[in-house]
């Protein structure tokens, strides 16, 4: 769960000269966080070039990198990652950027973080993983279904219970009436596809227009390069795009 004091940022001014003092660095870092809240990519680029640290946190444990994950700013996330963004960085809830993104249903952010090597099953201070947050805090709409597909494809532990109540993801989805997520989790839990069978399963799912099937095949280790043609199903296309297989 992500709680933020404010998303609106004041006008951001790049310091006239790069300073090496702690106060000067703190000024640069604060300006970068303001630019991140404003989703001002060019300003952020200039500040980073001037020495601002994308991982530097304020008193609420927000950094420019972490802000991009909760707010869904994909272009800015890319900039922070190439500028040293730490996917292991944690917020005030001991949560990763992946957990923050899943909370908001930012499937594309989740996919990019998976590509960057984020821990998929990290547990935050609430006892939740990214999968728990997408189900418990989500509304079961397309954005959250897409997010859960990304997590399933990435190999998230589907049986790990939320720590405080020991309820598993499927039960959370059933309790909340997230029917499409329920169907996806049931299919993934029942799947016995081996790595040797995964490529064929992926081709079949893509041909049938099954985004859930594509996620499950990827989970089994399928290579997206075996697809001779792009799937026609929009949700399957989004999933492949989110995981870096355009």
């Amino acid at each position: 769960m992500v709680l933020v004091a404010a998303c609106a940022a004041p006008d951001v001014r790049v310091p006239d000269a790069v300073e090496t003092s702690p106060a000067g660095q703190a000024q640069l870092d604060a300006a970068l966080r303001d630019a991140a809240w404003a989703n001002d990519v060019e300003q952020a680029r200039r500040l980073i070039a001037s020495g601002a640290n994308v991982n530097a946190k304020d008193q609420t444990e927000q950094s420019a990198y972490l802000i991009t994950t909760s707010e869904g700013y994909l272009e800015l996330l890319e900039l922070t990652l190439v500028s040293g963004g730490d996917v292991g960085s944690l917020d005030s809830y001991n949560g990763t950027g992946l957990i923050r993104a899943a909370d908001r249903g930012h499937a594309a952010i989740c996919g990019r973080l998976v590509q960057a090597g984020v821990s998929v099953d990290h547990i935050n201070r609430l006892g939740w993983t990214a999968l728990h947050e997408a189900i418990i805090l989500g509304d079961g709409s397309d954005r959250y279904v897409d997010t859960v597909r990304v997590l399933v494809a990435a190999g998230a532990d589907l049986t790990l219970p939320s720590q405080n109540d020991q309820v598993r993801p499927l039960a959370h989805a059933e309790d909340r009436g997230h029917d499409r997520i329920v169907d996806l989790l049931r299919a993934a839990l029942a799947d016995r596809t081996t790595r040797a069978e995964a490529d064929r399963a992926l081709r079949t799912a893509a041909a049938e227009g099954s985004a859930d099937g594509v996620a499950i095949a990827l989970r089994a280790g399928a290579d997206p390069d075996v697809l001779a043609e792009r799937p026609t199903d929009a949700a399957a296309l989004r999933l492949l795009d989110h995981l870096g297989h355009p």
Side-chain angles (χ1 to χ4, degrees):
M1 178 163 53
V2 180
L3 300 181
V4 296
C7 294
D11 292 338
V12 181
R13 183 183 67 83
V14 179
D16 295 332
V18 176
E19 300 178 55
T20 57
S21 68
Q25 186 63 51
Q27 182 183 12
L28 277 170
D29 296 341
L32 179 58
R33 287 189 294 270
D34 288 341
W37 284 122
N39 196 23
D40 190 335
V41 177
E42 292 310 312
Q43 182 78 322
R45 199 184 309 278
R46 290 190 291 270
L47 287 161
I48 292 169
S50 295
N53 183 351
V54 300
N55 297 310
K57 298 177 181 178
D58 63 13
Q59 67 275 15
T60 66
E61 299 296 311
Q62 302 283 358
S63 68
Y65 158 72
L66 286 170
I67 290 165
T68 70
T69 64
S70 61
E71 303 312 296
Y73 298 152
L74 185 58
E75 184 180 0
L76 192 53
L77 172 62
E78 291 284 359
L79 175 61
T80 64
L81 289 175
V82 300
S83 302
D86 178 11
V87 296
S89 183
L90 303 176
D91 63 15
S92 61
Y93 282 85
N94 197 45
T96 61
L98 182 68
I99 292 177
R100 294 162 65 97
D103 172 345
R104 303 284 184 88
H106 297 318
I109 299 290
C110 289
R112 183 63 186 89
L113 292 174
V114 166
Q115 294 175 62
V118 73
S119 174
V120 177
D121 292 319
H122 176 85
I123 299 171
N124 68 9
R125 203 181 311 283
L126 298 176
W128 296 344
T129 65
L131 180 59
H132 295 136
E133 295 239 349
I135 296 170
I136 295 170
L137 299 179
D139 59 8
S141 59
D142 287 348
R143 63 190 295 124
Y144 285 100
V145 175
D146 282 356
T147 298
V148 173
R149 285 195 187 108
V150 167
L151 297 172
V152 168
D157 188 337
L158 307 183
T159 63
L160 182 67
S162 45
Q163 299 300 289
N164 292 333
D165 54 17
Q166 293 299 298
V167 176
R168 294 186 175 187
L170 176 58
H172 279 301
E174 290 172 335
D175 289 347
R176 289 160 177 77
H178 298 338
D179 293 340
R180 288 186 293 163
I181 293 176
V182 167
D183 290 344
L184 168 59
L185 294 180
R186 284 177 177 167
L189 287 165
D191 185 67
R192 296 295 180 268
T193 302
T194 66
R195 174 61 191 90
E197 300 165 335
D199 289 348
R200 182 175 62 182
L202 177 60
R203 285 192 291 264
T204 299
E208 293 176 349
S210 171
D212 287 358
V214 169
I216 293 168
L218 292 173
R219 180 182 182 83
D223 180 359
D225 290 339
V226 303
L227 294 176
E229 297 180 355
R230 297 273 286 161
T232 56
D233 178 71
L237 282 171
R238 288 196 301 272
L239 174 60
L240 291 170
D241 286 343
H242 294 338
L243 291 171
H245 306 295

